[in-house]
Amino acid sequence: MTESVFIDMMLPRLASTDADEMMRQMFVAMDLSGNGFISQNDMEEVFRRVAGVFDANALRVWFSEVDADGDGKVRYRDFMALVSNALEAESRT
């Protein structure tokens, strides 16, 4: 699953509620272990549930790009930057 496919799936949900609250809910939903960050394993499991089949290597690369400080954890600020950038790119198309 590519970033654009993921965003396409999530945009209708974002439009239906307050954007900040929806992003917070998305983050919490993806933090499967409930530890305040999204791990590589969390991300893989979310994609497995949502997409079924995905390119694990591409997801690892994407995860490393989202993980701004390289600590193996996507924190809320990293997630917000990803979603904000994707929404900006989507609005330009």
Side-chain angles (χ1 to χ4, degrees):
M1 172 185 289
T2 65
E3 178 181 345
S4 63
V5 170
F6 176 73
I7 295 301
D8 286 345
M9 290 184 333
M10 299 309 288
L11 279 176
R13 295 179 185 178
L14 283 172
S16 66
T17 64
D18 175 72
D20 290 335
E21 177 61 18
M22 182 50 93
M23 285 190 265
R24 187 193 66 74
Q25 288 177 9
M26 286 172 43
F27 180 83
V28 169
M30 293 179 75
D31 177 12
L32 299 177
S33 51
N35 52 13
F37 60 85
I38 301 169
S39 68
Q40 177 74 41
N41 289 339
D42 290 340
M43 185 81 74
E44 288 178 6
E45 182 59 27
V46 167
F47 274 71
R48 194 172 290 111
R49 291 178 186 178
V50 172
V53 178
F54 61 92
D55 182 341
N57 188 48
L59 183 60
R60 280 187 215 97
V61 170
W62 186 57
F63 184 88
S64 68
E65 291 171 0
V66 175
D67 177 18
D69 59 5
D71 66 354
K73 302 172 183 175
V74 173
R75 300 192 189 309
Y76 187 67
R77 68 178 175 269
D78 302 329
F79 183 78
M80 288 293 294
L82 165 72
V83 173
S84 295
N85 291 339
L87 290 173
E88 283 180 27
E90 183 70 25
S91 70
R92 285 184 249 141
T93 61

